[in-house]
Amino acid sequence: MRADYDPARPLTVIRLSADGAAASIERAVAVECPVAIEVDGFGYAVMMMTPERLEDFATGFLLTERLVDVPGDILAIEPFAAETGWIVRVTLAAHLRGRMHDRVRHRTSDTSCGLCGLSGLEQIARPVTKRPPRPKASTETLFATLGTVRAHQPLNARTGAVHAAIACDATGAVLAAAEDVGRHNALDKLVGMLARDPALHADFILVTSRISYEMVDKALVTGIGLLIGISAPTSLAIAHARAHDLTLIALARSDAMLVAHDPHGCFA
């Protein structure tokens, strides 16, 4: 992508006040557009998303879709601007092309859904190859990290319209952060960032959204031991975390947070 690409656009709006006053002001609006993912010449998905970090997104997306097992399975990622959005063309290693042909489908996803277009309910339960490790971060570290989240949301500071996914080490140091209008897309970007840089060893991931089944599933792909959400988890998210020993914390606030699942007794 172009280094100068701005994922926000200026918009002139009318600000109405409770006292009846009206004034024209300028606001930044988060860009949302269709991004088509083409894999080995097949149209695999169209995501409505913020078109930045598309190489990271494509890597994370293919990993969480189980189309590839490691980043090295991806031979090339080529994003380019189209008339109405973006296209990301991906080339996979030859030994994975049979997997792609078995899974190919045309899928349209929006910012509120992460499992649109699966052909049957049996496809939801996809394999998790390894158990996540015991998280090392302390409770004090988690609360301290919450206080730094805003500093890693520059696009949201401008627009107020995007989610973030943030990876931290056991000390709470932020290793990587990604933003997107879609919470799933933000997490896929982060998954891709971690996968493409083996030097990043994350202990936990924090997301500024609710925790649904697919958010837990994406976190499991990264191999981290702890997922924290600013909002609440769903029943299926908790069940998925319990089935695979992922530590899950929700409704994280500066004064309290809820431990939904703690298989190692780290926060008991």
Side-chain angles (χ1 to χ4, degrees):
M1 294 187 64
R2 301 191 313 270
D4 62 346
Y5 182 82
D6 189 348
R9 296 284 185 272
L11 177 69
T12 300
V13 297
I14 304 298
R15 182 180 185 275
L16 302 178
S17 301
D19 61 5
S24 178
I25 64 171
E26 189 173 275
R27 286 272 304 181
V29 177
V31 173
E32 180 182 25
C33 73
V35 176
I37 309 297
E38 296 183 0
V39 183
D40 290 334
F42 290 92
Y44 185 75
V46 178
M47 311 299 291
M48 298 303 296
M49 60 182 293
T50 304
E52 65 168 355
R53 293 193 175 277
L54 291 181
E55 294 90 344
D56 291 325
F57 170 76
T59 301
F61 180 72
L62 293 179
L63 284 166
T64 59
E65 285 286 293
R66 307 325 198 260
L67 284 178
V68 301
D69 300 316
V70 294
D73 290 335
I74 303 172
L75 302 183
I77 302 175
E78 300 176 83
F80 59 92
E83 184 176 353
T84 58
W86 288 78
I87 298 173
V88 182
R89 288 180 176 158
V90 181
T91 304
L92 301 185
H95 72 279
L96 291 175
R97 288 172 186 164
R99 185 185 302 183
M100 175 61 204
H101 293 164
D102 290 341
R103 291 279 311 281
V104 70
R105 66 191 187 276
H106 292 279
R107 183 176 88 169
T108 299
S109 179
D110 60 28
T111 57
S112 64
C113 181
L115 292 170
C116 304
L118 291 178
S119 62
L121 291 177
E122 70 281 355
Q123 293 187 0
I124 292 176
R126 294 179 286 188
V128 176
T129 58
K130 57 185 177 181
R131 295 281 170 173
R134 177 190 179 99
K136 299 177 181 177
S138 67
T139 301
E140 292 76 16
T141 294
L142 301 185
F143 279 111
T145 302
L146 281 170
T148 69
V149 168
R150 289 183 182 275
H152 299 281
Q153 295 181 267
L155 182 57
N156 193 59
R158 295 173 62 195
T159 67
V162 299
H163 290 292
I166 300 169
C168 301
D169 67 16
T171 71
V174 172
L175 303 177
E179 292 182 280
D180 199 280
V181 291
R183 57 197 174 91
H184 311 95
N185 301 332
L187 187 48
D188 273 333
K189 288 177 181 179
L190 187 70
V191 171
M193 294 167 73
L194 295 175
R196 296 176 74 192
D197 188 348
L200 299 178
H201 301 291
D203 185 66
F204 64 94
I205 287 174
L206 189 149
V207 294
T208 60
S209 65
R210 74 180 186 275
I211 301 175
S212 53
Y213 172 91
E214 61 271 30
M215 299 294 275
V216 168
D217 195 62
K218 292 176 189 296
L220 286 167
V221 170
T222 69
I224 58 95
L226 169 60
L227 177 63
I228 304 172
I230 299 298
S231 192
T234 66
S235 62
L236 200 56
I238 295 170
H240 199 32
R242 287 176 174 170
H244 298 288
D245 291 339
L246 177 72
T247 302
L248 190 62
I249 293 179
L251 289 170
R253 301 289 188 270
S254 60
D255 60 339
M257 56 182 70
L258 302 182
V259 180
H261 182 55
D262 183 10
H264 305 287
C266 298
F267 303 102

